[in-house]
Amino acid sequence: MKNVISKEKVFNHPIDKVWNAITRQEEISTWFIQADFKAEVGYPYTFTSKEEDCVPITGIVKQADPYTLIYTWVVQDTDTETTVKWVLQEVEGKTKLYLEHSGIAGYPGDSAVQMFESFNGGWDNCVSLLAEYLTEEVHAG
């Protein structure tokens, strides 16, 4: 059982534009998921999907330094806490995003495999939506 999902992508956008898109409540709510979120250590956030079969995600912001964001991730009605980490790096005028979701093997039994598959596909979609948002909405390059 794999325990860590990781995604990498290079965006043709300035690092501050990407940082704002992943840390500002109004931007997260536009491209990703309805968010009650502040990039402040200790902030108890909630993500609420509009999709019928999705439940809220809650957690606590653990780190929010430019350009690293780490928060816990708890799917409603489960007792398993996982960790999501976003790291941005400026590379030749572009921004490299590294996304990691760890601790998934902590889900009991077969649900760990199901959660891994669900999160893996979800993060692929998330990175694609972020790319679309930065290109279409922010017009950042």
Side-chain angles (χ1 to χ4, degrees), residues 1 9 22 33 48 65 67 76 82 88-89 97 101 126:
M1 167 70 218
K9 179 155 179 74
I22 66 170
I33 194 167
T48 308
D65 312 326
Y67 294 102
Q76 182 178 298
T82 59
L88 302 181
Q89 179 181 9
L97 165 73
H101 190 163
C126 176

Side-chain angles (χ1 to χ4, degrees), residues 7-60:
K7 308 292 178 188
E8 286 187 28
K9 179 155 179 74
V10 176
F11 295 97
N12 293 322
H13 309 286
I15 196 166
D16 287 328
K17 296 284 187 185
V18 180
W19 179 250
N20 290 343
I22 66 170
T23 61
R24 290 189 175 169
Q25 173 176 297
E26 60 276 6
E27 293 195 44
I28 298 166
S29 295
T30 299
W31 66 268
F32 180 39
I33 194 167
Q34 189 61 41
D36 172 4
F37 188 89
K38 290 184 183 173
E40 298 173 1
V41 173
Y43 190 82
Y45 77 87
T46 302
F47 291 152
T48 308
S49 176
K50 297 172 188 163
E51 300 294 322
E52 231 177 83
D53 58 343
C54 292
V55 297
I57 308 291
T58 59
I60 305 290

Side-chain angles (χ1 to χ4, degrees), residues 9-137:
K9 179 155 179 74
V10 176
F11 295 97
N12 293 322
H13 309 286
I15 196 166
D16 287 328
K17 296 284 187 185
V18 180
W19 179 250
N20 290 343
I22 66 170
T23 61
R24 290 189 175 169
Q25 173 176 297
E26 60 276 6
E27 293 195 44
I28 298 166
S29 295
T30 299
W31 66 268
F32 180 39
I33 194 167
Q34 189 61 41
D36 172 4
F37 188 89
K38 290 184 183 173
E40 298 173 1
V41 173
Y43 190 82
Y45 77 87
T46 302
F47 291 152
T48 308
S49 176
K50 297 172 188 163
E51 300 294 322
E52 231 177 83
D53 58 343
C54 292
V55 297
I57 308 291
T58 59
I60 305 290
V61 176
K62 297 295 188 179
Q63 183 177 344
D65 312 326
Y67 294 102
T68 300
L69 175 65
I70 300 173
Y71 47 84
T72 60
W73 177 279
V74 180
V75 176
Q76 182 178 298
D77 300 328
T78 72
D79 295 326
T80 304
E81 180 180 278
T82 59
T83 302
V84 174
K85 178 179 181 180
W86 303 77
V87 177
L88 302 181
Q89 179 181 9
E90 203 165 19
V91 180
E92 298 175 3
K94 299 178 181 183
T95 302
K96 182 177 181 180
L97 165 73
Y98 176 74
L99 171 64
E100 178 182 285
H101 190 163
S102 61
I104 301 162
Y107 282 96
D110 289 343
S111 69
V113 173
Q114 294 167 346
M115 293 303 253
F116 186 92
E117 290 172 1
S118 175
F119 292 150
N120 192 43
W123 289 120
D124 283 339
N125 188 49
C126 176
V127 171
S128 293
L129 289 170
L130 176 58
E132 288 174 22
Y133 172 75
L134 288 168
T135 300
E136 296 171 13
E137 300 296 326

